[in-house]
Amino acid sequence: FATTVDTEWIDQMDWLSETKHECEWTLVECGDDFRVTEISITSNGLNGNLPAEIGLLPELKILNLRDNELFGILPDEISILTNLEFLDLRNNSFGGTFDGLCMLSTLTHLDLSFNAYEYPIDEALGNLSALKFLNFESNFVLGSLPYSLTTLTSLEYLNFHSNKLEGSIPPGFENLSALTSIDLSKNFLSGSLPDLSGLELEHLGMYNNDFRGLIPLPLSPKLTHLRLDGNILDFDLPTEIGLLTNLGKCIHLTPSHTSYIKTPSHHYPPRFIFFLVHTEILRLDANKIRSSIPTEIGQLVNLRILELGDNILVGTLPSEIGQLTKLESFIIPNMQISGTIPTEFGHLTHMSLLGMATNKLSGTIPTELGTMTLLTILKLNENRLTGVIPPELGGLQQIEELRFNQNRLLGSVPEEVCSLTVKNLDVDCIVRCQCCAF
């Protein structure tokens, strides 16, 4: 109590009460023998070191001190807690080594995320044979993943997101048959991706590393979250990936450097994409995808973000995009999309960002775009649009950026548009504008 600066606790509760037994203190639990089995004090401003006296609680099973301001090195005495099953120190400032923790063979839940650990993970981690949950997200852990990690056959959740790990993933990951979630994103890992086809993964995150080669297939049919962007992978996507019908929320296959999605003749990804009806985020930008946007895109009715820019897409915009009524962001710049903007875009009333610059769009700007009342950015510049800017765009009360320049528009900017509080409004000089700052 005193070591963690009791005067700074947000709520001192009844600790050190002279009228209550320790087992009656708030957030303390005891067993039938009146020995402390649980201490859970979260988000209470604890500041200081974890005292060595923690070792005087040999029956402790649960220690939860997350979201405080604790720092320093965990005391060696923590290794005495041989009955500890749950340890959550998330969002503090602990650092140094954690060798003492590797003696706790009964530990099933270990969360040291959002701290300041930087030492490499010791092979002694393999002693935690009962571990089911391991989270080191957002530390500064150096070195490589230890081989002993692959011996933790009870492990269900593994997270080293945002550290400084390097080297390859050790062989044997396929033996972790209980794993449902892996996130090794934002490190410096390299080599090839491991064969995870035997695991029933629901979450797989490996983005922003230096992995190369092909994605081992098949992937788990239970996947709901997949992020592999920011590597140097060749995405060889056969139609079998269409069996991942639970895949949703987030699909990022945006490459880095010169990698790209590989499909026959680099055509638009096979029809598997359109089985992924739960998908909310689909990013396929900056690949070498050819062909047009298929009408089946309208089947992805849960899409919120759709980014297809910087590919080699041609053809017209299918009116079926208007069926994506949950869409908030649609970005298709720097391609060769032609034809008119479908009036069905007026159904996209949740749209916040509509970016279709640098294409070959023609015809007039649909008045229906004025129904996108949540729109903040509209980029139609560098196309072949004709006619005038419709006054109905004055309904875009949230708009911050409007770009119409480098088209074939005439007339003037309507008063209804000028009355909007637009930070950036770009039109060609031939279009009269009383509210533009040229």
Side-chain angles (χ1 to χ4, degrees):
F1 184 62
T3 304
T4 56
V5 194
D6 56 285
T7 56
E8 296 188 12
W9 284 29
I10 295 173
D11 183 359
Q12 297 186 20
M13 299 172 285
D14 48 9
W15 279 55
L16 299 188
S17 170
E18 296 180 358
T19 60
K20 290 184 176 182
H21 188 275
E22 290 91 334
C23 293
E24 298 178 305
W25 292 355
T26 304
L27 304 179
V28 175
E29 298 289 338
C30 293
D32 294 337
D33 57 358
F34 296 100
R35 290 194 172 193
V36 175
T37 59
E38 178 178 348
I39 299 175
S40 183
I41 309 174
T42 64
S43 305
N44 201 39
L46 277 66
N47 189 321
N49 301 111
L50 188 65
E53 286 79 6
I54 195 72
L56 300 176
L57 304 174
E59 299 301 316
L60 195 64
K61 293 182 178 180
I62 297 175
L63 180 58
N64 187 355
L65 302 176
R66 66 182 294 164
D67 300 322
N68 283 291
E69 300 171 20
L70 299 169
F71 56 85
I73 301 174
L74 293 177
D76 293 337
E77 287 76 7
I78 203 165
S79 63
I80 302 173
L81 306 180
T82 54
N83 289 300
L84 196 63
E85 299 174 0
F86 184 101
L87 179 60
D88 191 340
L89 302 177
R90 176 186 177 94
N91 198 23
N92 283 282
S93 297
F94 288 111
T97 64
F98 35 84
D99 297 344
L101 297 178
C102 295
M103 306 295 291
L104 306 178
S105 60
T106 58
L107 205 60
T108 62
H109 183 106
L110 177 58
D111 194 339
L112 298 177
S113 58
F114 296 92
N115 277 281
Y117 285 106
E118 60 182 1
Y119 283 89
I121 306 292
D122 194 272
E123 289 288 348
L125 182 70
N127 295 332
L128 305 182
S129 56
L131 204 60
K132 296 182 178 180
F133 182 100
L134 178 60
N135 191 356
F136 270 92
E137 180 180 356
S138 294
N139 279 276
F140 306 94
V141 177
L142 300 166
S144 58
L145 290 169
Y147 173 77
S148 62
L149 186 64
T150 64
T151 66
L152 303 180
T153 54
S154 296
L155 200 61
E156 300 173 0
Y157 179 94
L158 175 64
N159 190 346
F160 277 93
H161 188 292
S162 298
N163 279 279
K164 297 184 178 181
L165 294 170
E166 57 187 10
S168 60
I169 295 177
F173 254 65
E174 64 276 7
N175 299 325
L176 301 179
S177 57
L179 266 180
T180 60
S181 179
I182 303 175
D183 200 331
L184 302 178
S185 305
K186 299 185 74 172
N187 280 283
F188 302 98
L189 295 168
S190 57
S192 58
L193 291 175
D195 181 3
L196 304 176
S197 58
L199 305 184
E200 296 186 347
L201 290 175
E202 299 174 5
H203 178 113
L204 177 58
M206 299 279 192
Y207 73 91
N208 285 13
N209 279 286
D210 194 26
F211 292 118
R212 299 168 184 253
L214 297 175
I215 303 173
L217 293 170
L219 296 173
S220 166
K222 294 186 177 182
L223 267 179
T224 61
H225 182 111
L226 174 63
R227 284 206 65 174
L228 301 175
D229 48 299
N231 286 288
I232 311 177
L233 295 166
D234 291 329
F235 295 101
D236 192 359
L237 297 177
T239 55
E240 285 82 356
I241 202 170
L243 298 175
L244 307 181
T245 54
N246 290 313
L247 192 60
K249 300 296 184 185
C250 190
I251 303 175
H252 294 256
L253 297 179
T254 305
S256 66
H257 305 298
T258 58
S259 61
Y260 52 89
I261 294 177
K262 289 177 65 179
T263 59
S265 302
H266 310 309
H267 283 276
Y268 196 83
R271 301 302 186 196
F272 78 83
I273 284 291
F274 308 109
F275 289 98
L276 309 180
V277 295
H278 302 292
T279 304
E280 295 182 10
I281 300 174
L282 179 58
R283 289 191 170 107
L284 298 175
D285 48 308
N287 284 283
K288 296 183 179 179
I289 301 171
R290 296 179 183 271
S291 190
S292 59
I293 301 176
T295 58
E296 291 93 336
I297 196 73
Q299 298 175 22
L300 303 184
V301 293
N302 288 301
L303 272 183
R304 294 187 300 105
I305 297 176
L306 177 59
E307 297 183 6
L308 304 174
D310 296 307
N311 283 290
I312 315 175
L313 297 184
V314 296
T316 60
L317 291 172
S319 61
E320 285 78 4
I321 292 176
Q323 299 171 17
L324 308 179
T325 55
K326 296 181 181 180
L327 204 59
E328 300 170 9
S329 176
F330 180 51
I331 304 176
I332 55 163
N334 303 317
M335 293 187 294
Q336 301 182 50
I337 300 294
S338 59
T340 60
I341 300 172
T343 57
E344 287 81 0
F345 273 38
H347 301 315
L348 307 178
T349 55
H350 288 88
M351 187 73 76
S352 174
L353 195 164
L354 180 57
M356 300 191 290
T358 319
N359 279 283
K360 297 180 180 180
L361 294 172
S362 58
T364 59
I365 299 173
T367 59
E368 288 80 1
L369 297 188
T371 63
M372 297 181 177
T373 55
L374 299 180
L375 200 63
T376 60
I377 297 176
L378 175 59
K379 294 183 178 181
L380 299 177
N381 50 298
E382 298 185 52
N383 280 285
R384 300 174 182 178
L385 297 171
T386 57
V388 298
I389 299 172
E392 286 80 1
L393 296 188
L396 307 179
Q397 295 298 314
Q398 305 295 323
I399 201 71
E400 298 178 0
E401 184 174 348
L402 280 171
R403 298 193 183 275
F404 301 115
N405 53 300
Q406 298 188 52
N407 278 285
R408 301 170 183 177
L409 299 171
L410 299 172
S412 60
V413 177
E415 181 179 344
E416 293 86 346
V417 174
C418 276
S419 65
L420 299 171
T421 55
V422 183
K423 295 179 181 178
N424 295 296
L425 173 58
D426 287 344
V427 296
D428 292 321
C429 295
I430 195 172
V431 176
R432 296 186 300 276
C433 182
Q434 296 181 352
C435 53
C436 298
F438 292 104

